[in-house]
Amino acid sequence: MSTSTETIEQLANREYKYGFVTDVDADTIPKGLNEDVVRLISEKKGEPAWLLEWRLKAYRLWLTMKEPNWQNVKYDPINYQDIVYYSAPKKKKVLNSLDEMDPEVRATFDKLGIPLEEQKLFAGVAVDAVFDSVSVATTFRAKLAEKGIIFMSFSEAVREHPELVKKYLGSVVPYSDNFFAALNSAVFSDGSFVYIPKGVRCPMELSTYFRINAKDTGQFERTLIVADEGAYVSYLEGCTAPMRDEHQLHAAVVELVAHDDATIKYSTIQNWYPGDKDGKGGIYNFVTKRGLCAGRSSKITWTQVETGSSITWKYPGCILQGDNSIGEFYSVATTNNWQQADTGTKMIHIGKNTRSTIVSKGISAGHGQNTYRGLVRIGKNAKNARNYSQCDSMLIGDKCGAHTFPYLEIKNTSARVEHEASTSKIGEDQIFYCRQRGISTEDAVNMIVSGFCKEVFRELPMEFAVEAQKLLSVSLEGSVG
Amino acid sequence: MLQIKNLQVKAEDKQILTGVDLHVKAGQVHAIMGPNGSGKSTLARVIAGHPEYVVTGGEVLYEGRDLLEMDPDERAREGVFMAFQYPVEIAGVNNAYFLKAAVNAKRKHLGQPELDAMEFMELIKEKSKLLEINQAMLQRAVNEGFSGGEKKRNEIFQMALLEPKLAVLDETDSGLDIDALKTVAAGVNTMRGPDRAIIVVTHYQRLLDYIVPDHVHVLSAGRIVKSGGKELALELEQKGYSWIETGAQPVGA
Ligand SMILES: Nc1ncnc2c1ncn2[C@@H]1O[C@H](COP(=O)(O)OP(=O)(O)OP(=O)(O)O)[C@@H](O)[C@H]1O
Ligand SMILES: [Mg+2]
């Protein structure tokens, strides 16, 4: 098998085409974290006193917390005093239109394929663009406002809809939730806010595009989405960062709330800089995402395609509180070169007749380590709860690893829980079969991997499914020689 | 079309082919028979370029070019086709999508415009009738859950779509019922022509009643020990292989 291992194993340099740096005049505060920094961030954003109080409580709690170490990933300790907690492109005054935006920032998004002029966008997708610590543009706002939909940066929402923010902020992920959630609550700088009123079906995809640009800067954004009774929204986030030799920290919090009969689809295409082929640099992606199915027959679907980051650590989960509510998690995570991912979901069944589906596809290449970690908890009042989990792993080469840790806690005997798991090696024979039909090795790998991920890709909105497929092929580039 | 000279092949330190000589001209059909484990599939796979095999001696010329120098996908695009003895399943990859990728890879290589979805469906319609490939088989994942016979028909269907110059069919008849055998043979026969060479590997004379070969060879212990016309197959059917190994002196033994 020596020749075949060789064929499969040749790790080449993959290119990360989003790795450029934009030269902008930025308002950046010095490195380090203390109460004054928290106050400064709050002040820069002109926040009300209650929010500053909330941040400070989070900060003080964070000081007493320990960084978690149970995950199946390895990294050198993070020096939290060596991070810049706020950096924003300078602007002279409040922006009234996109024309007033820093042309460099705007060019950045153009280069990333995210044009911010409304007419140029994908038909039917509204975008909020976050550059380092702040949101720089939100498109289609007026059109959405006609239906009562609020889609704006988090900072604006704090100013314009304080009652909504106050009501829901921390209601799903309290600042005390975990180490990184507490850190985020103390220093979060921006993010997106969405509110869909009763009975409204959001007529377009909403999307936030996150870009880390500044050096030594952490990105700590918060996203809060509330779908009122009978509302529907599909939301997508994408992210990229420049190539840098140092690791950068991204610690976000996402909270979703679905009331009676409401549906939220949340899709992520995560393509932070993964580090180079020797494992130098890359983003630490430590994220807390949780959805609350608060109402009866509500539904939350998480779909994620995780191709970037040097370390990914996240478990988008659902709390199925309303009776008949549904939680879904569809995930593709790839790790190539020295990337590590420990990801999965938590499905917490509280209401009766609640259902959850978990489909996880892990792909490991190079020295990549891919861990699925999932919790299914069926509470004692969750009569007739059902869960179906499927965790498939694919290995490319023999230096990578796949690990599966499913946790089950069942306190109601009427529960039905099914778990299936498989591990396969991308076969030399499959690749040869494709090549014998004239298909190149690279196309063959892409085809086989896409086939493997099909159940997840079909959950993504059309435009993004194509994007995701492309990303996947870039992220595995060079994994098979 | 294909010239194999003293080909010696190893896999995992096991010498499998010990000196194969074979000369196949355009327009001809050659049958290769021989006991289990004699190296028939190995020969087919080496022609197709399977990376598991190491050529330790000899040469293979395809249209005068060194075939062994070419990558497997390049060979395919240049017109070398192999129908697999055990076709591989690829989960989640739509069969029609796979076929289109294959056809277009070849067209691109030959400088022809790629077919769009409509044109491709037209092509499929025409060829699928011939091999009784139904719509359901096209929409399923490549070979996934196909019966043994369906897999073999799908192989010949691919050959019909790709129109190779040199086709090596490795035991395409095994696992086929009598009707499917006729369908597959008819499919292969329509492909016969002055510009195409076909090598069929088989254990059974029966296939050769339908696909009548110009030459029959017996491969044993990694070399061709006997060659003849189509009557040789009949003889083998009656007497088995042992008489060749004992009776006739293999060349160079
Ligand atoms: N990749 C490989 N590695 C090691 N040994 C191999 C490999 N491929 C084939 N062999 C061995 O080489 C010999 C010839 O195998 P091959 O498959 O070519 O035979 P065959 O003539 O096609 O047999 P059958 O009639 O059973 O299909 C067998 O002993 C087989 O086990
Ligand atoms: Mg064989």
Side-chain angles (χ1 to χ4, degrees):
Chain A
M1 290 294 282
S2 63
T3 41
S4 84
T5 345
E6 204 175 294
T7 333
I8 281 191
E9 263 302 300
Q10 278 166 12
L11 286 167
N13 332 322
R14 96 172 107 178
E15 256 187 82
Y16 182 77
K17 68 172 179 179
Y18 310 100
F20 60 90
V21 179
T22 310
D23 188 13
V24 287
D25 195 7
D27 173 12
T28 302
I29 66 174
K31 282 181 183 177
L33 182 56
N34 52 48
E35 280 207 18
D36 288 342
V37 168
V38 176
R39 285 176 202 281
L40 186 62
I41 292 171
S42 187
E43 190 189 306
K44 278 190 180 294
K45 311 192 78 65
E47 286 175 355
W50 65 265
L51 191 49
L52 173 61
E53 263 323 293
W54 194 77
R55 285 179 181 275
L56 288 171
K57 272 193 235 162
Y59 175 68
R60 288 168 196 149
L61 182 68
W62 178 74
L63 286 176
T64 69
M65 294 170 101
K66 264 200 134 93
E67 197 170 329
N69 59 4
W70 46 263
Q71 29 338 10
N72 189 23
V73 298
K74 292 190 191 78
Y75 58 92
D76 292 334
I78 298 171
N79 180 355
Y80 292 93
Q81 296 307 333
D82 198 33
I83 294 174
V84 173
Y85 287 86
Y86 184 87
S87 174
K90 254 186 203 151
K91 53 185 175 192
K92 308 280 173 297
K93 53 179 172 143
V94 176
L95 290 186
N96 291 317
S97 80
L98 284 171
D99 302 334
E100 294 169 30
M101 191 168 154
D102 184 327
E104 285 294 330
V105 172
R106 192 161 159 181
T108 300
F109 284 99
D110 280 344
K111 206 162 158 185
L112 294 168
I114 319 283
L116 297 173
E117 290 131 276
E118 299 191 349
Q119 66 275 19
K120 276 202 200 154
L121 281 166
F122 293 130
V125 183
V127 176
D128 182 25
V130 176
F131 191 88
D132 288 333
S133 303
V134 294
S135 167
V136 291
T138 310
T139 63
F140 288 111
R141 269 171 67 164
K143 189 165 175 214
L144 292 166
E146 284 168 21
K147 294 199 167 242
I149 295 169
I150 304 169
F151 178 41
M152 55 178 59
S153 73
F154 206 94
S155 316
E156 286 169 297
V158 169
R159 286 194 295 273
E160 293 179 27
H161 302 281
E163 67 307 331
L164 282 174
V165 175
K166 200 169 175 180
K167 180 169 173 192
Y168 291 106
L169 176 69
S171 69
V172 188
V173 180
Y175 61 75
S176 55
D177 193 81
N178 67 68
F179 182 85
F180 292 107
L183 177 63
N184 173 288
S185 303
V187 301
F188 76 92
S189 42
D190 216 333
S192 297
F193 177 81
V194 176
Y195 174 80
I196 316 286
K198 259 184 204 173
V200 171
R201 192 184 164 87
C202 185
M204 56 179 80
E205 301 283 340
L206 301 184
S207 164
T208 300
Y209 196 90
F210 295 101
R211 173 73 179 172
I212 296 179
N213 185 63
K215 195 168 182 265
D216 301 328
T217 302
Q219 184 150 330
F220 305 92
E221 84 272 0
R222 263 192 111 87
T223 300
L224 175 54
I225 299 177
V226 179
D228 219 324
E229 279 172 38
Y232 169 91
V233 63
S234 169
Y235 179 93
L236 184 126
E237 63 172 351
C239 18
T240 59
M243 292 195 238
R244 295 189 188 282
D245 288 348
E246 305 81 29
H247 293 289
Q248 277 179 288
L249 178 63
H250 171 249
V253 171
V254 176
E255 299 179 275
L256 312 181
V257 180
H259 289 289
D260 288 357
D261 301 303
T263 297
I264 302 176
K265 273 178 80 82
Y266 192 104
S267 313
T268 302
I269 295 185
Q270 186 266 107
N271 188 27
W272 295 119
Y273 177 53
D276 70 7
K277 65 178 195 316
D278 301 318
K280 201 166 182 198
I283 303 289
Y284 291 158
N285 189 35
F286 300 159
V287 171
T288 308
K289 291 181 167 177
R290 198 170 302 147
L292 173 64
C293 283
R296 293 177 59 90
S297 304
S298 54
K299 179 176 175 184
I300 290 179
T301 302
W302 296 101
T303 306
Q304 59 173 24
V305 176
E306 305 280 327
T307 58
S309 296
S310 93
I311 300 179
T312 293
W313 180 67
K314 61 183 267 203
Y315 313 92
C318 298
I319 301 172
L320 303 170
Q321 184 179 296
D323 290 348
N324 305 314
S325 61
I326 298 174
E328 294 178 330
F329 173 75
Y330 298 95
S331 168
V332 167
T334 64
T335 50
N336 194 1
N337 297 324
W338 294 91
Q339 282 177 278
Q340 309 174 64
D342 190 318
T343 182
T345 184
K346 290 182 192 170
M347 292 292 176
I348 312 295
H349 293 252
I350 298 171
K352 297 184 186 67
N353 304 315
T354 47
R355 278 186 286 149
S356 61
T357 302
I358 299 170
V359 176
S360 160
K361 305 278 180 175
I363 301 159
S364 320
H367 294 84
Q369 292 295 328
N370 214 318
T371 300
Y372 168 81
R373 190 186 301 276
L375 168 68
V376 176
R377 178 184 294 155
I378 313 261
K380 58 178 186 299
N381 298 322
K383 250 173 78 183
N384 296 320
R386 278 191 282 155
N387 162 266
Y388 171 75
S389 305
Q390 181 192 334
C391 302
D392 299 322
S393 309
M394 181 177 264
L395 302 175
I396 304 179
D398 53 12
K399 292 189 187 67
C400 52
H403 319 272
T404 306
F405 301 109
Y407 303 93
L408 286 178
E409 294 173 16
I410 299 173
K411 302 222 169 70
N412 187 306
T413 50
S414 64
R416 270 187 22 224
V417 174
E418 275 176 80
H419 180 88
E420 287 177 27
S422 77
T423 300
S424 55
K425 259 193 122 162
I426 193 163
E428 181 74 18
D429 279 328
Q430 285 181 324
I431 293 175
F432 178 65
Y433 188 75
C434 295
R435 295 185 79 186
Q436 208 309 296
R437 299 304 184 245
I439 298 165
S440 69
T441 305
E442 210 174 309
D443 289 348
V445 171
N446 287 341
M447 208 182 256
I448 295 164
V449 168
S450 304
F452 175 72
C453 300
K454 197 173 191 170
E455 289 139 291
V456 175
F457 285 167
R458 71 168 168 232
E459 293 297 323
L460 289 171
M462 254 309 261
E463 303 88 332
F464 300 112
V466 176
E467 183 76 359
Q469 205 140 332
K470 273 194 226 142
L471 253 186
L472 201 62
S473 64
V474 172
S475 106
L476 292 173
E477 214 158 79
S479 61
V480 177
Chain B
M1 169 98 44
L2 181 72
Q3 262 180 303
I4 301 177
K5 292 181 201 154
N6 192 26
L7 181 65
Q8 295 158 45
V9 170
K10 244 170 130 166
E12 286 179 3
D13 294 326
K14 180 178 154 65
Q15 193 72 40
I16 304 173
L17 299 184
T18 51
V20 172
D21 290 283
L22 184 66
H23 188 181
V24 180
K25 290 197 175 114
Q28 293 180 335
V29 173
H30 289 237
I32 296 181
M33 306 182 79
N36 291 133
S38 56
K40 303 181 297 296
S41 293
T42 301
L43 177 60
R45 284 148 68 95
V46 169
I47 292 171
H50 197 289
E52 251 167 43
Y53 299 92
V54 183
V55 174
T56 54
E59 62 173 359
V60 181
L61 297 179
Y62 170 66
E63 296 188 311
R65 295 166 60 190
D66 184 356
L67 186 69
L68 302 175
E69 275 298 299
M70 293 158 72
D71 281 339
D73 36 329
E74 190 190 351
R75 298 183 197 192
R77 295 191 288 258
E78 283 287 328
V80 176
F81 179 89
M82 174 172 100
F84 285 60
Q85 180 172 2
Y86 304 107
V88 179
E89 301 189 2
I90 308 175
V93 177
N94 175 282
N95 201 22
Y97 176 82
F98 175 80
L99 297 171
K100 180 163 169 262
V103 168
N104 279 336
K106 181 170 182 184
R107 292 182 67 93
K108 198 169 157 191
H109 178 75
L110 298 178
Q112 297 164 346
E114 294 181 38
L115 299 182
D116 63 24
M118 290 296 282
E119 293 164 327
F120 182 69
M121 287 326 280
E122 279 304 307
L123 178 68
I124 275 201
K125 222 158 118 191
E126 177 196 323
K127 307 274 182 184
S128 56
K129 256 189 243 135
L130 190 67
L131 286 146
E132 296 171 15
I133 300 286
N134 58 35
Q135 199 55 33
M137 269 171 79
L138 290 168
Q139 292 315 322
R140 273 151 70 184
V142 179
N143 291 320
E144 200 184 40
F146 284 25
S147 75
E150 284 171 343
K151 282 184 184 165
K152 298 300 178 74
R153 267 192 287 147
N154 195 39
E155 292 292 290
I156 302 305
F157 175 55
Q158 296 189 36
M159 168 169 111
L161 286 175
L162 291 167
E163 302 184 327
K165 292 188 226 167
L166 172 68
V168 185
L169 314 182
D170 192 1
E171 293 198 31
T172 301
D173 54 335
S174 58
L176 292 182
D177 65 37
I178 197 73
D179 291 332
L181 182 73
K182 284 184 195 165
T183 309
V184 162
V188 174
N189 283 330
T190 57
M191 299 286 295
R192 288 181 83 149
D195 302 324
R196 183 169 292 131
I198 301 174
I199 300 173
V200 287
V201 173
T202 182
H203 284 291
Y204 305 106
Q205 144 67 21
R206 198 181 53 191
L207 176 72
L208 305 179
D209 286 341
Y210 299 103
I211 305 172
V212 181
D214 302 298
H215 299 274
V216 175
H217 311 276
V218 178
L219 192 69
S220 180
R223 67 178 62 193
I224 288 174
V225 292
K226 194 164 178 64
S227 299
K230 58 175 190 282
E231 353 47 77
L232 179 58
L234 275 171
E235 219 173 330
L236 290 168
E237 178 94 340
Q238 287 163 10
K239 304 193 200 163
Y241 294 113
S242 50
W243 65 277
I244 299 176
E245 278 146 48
T246 50
Q249 283 290 316
V251 194

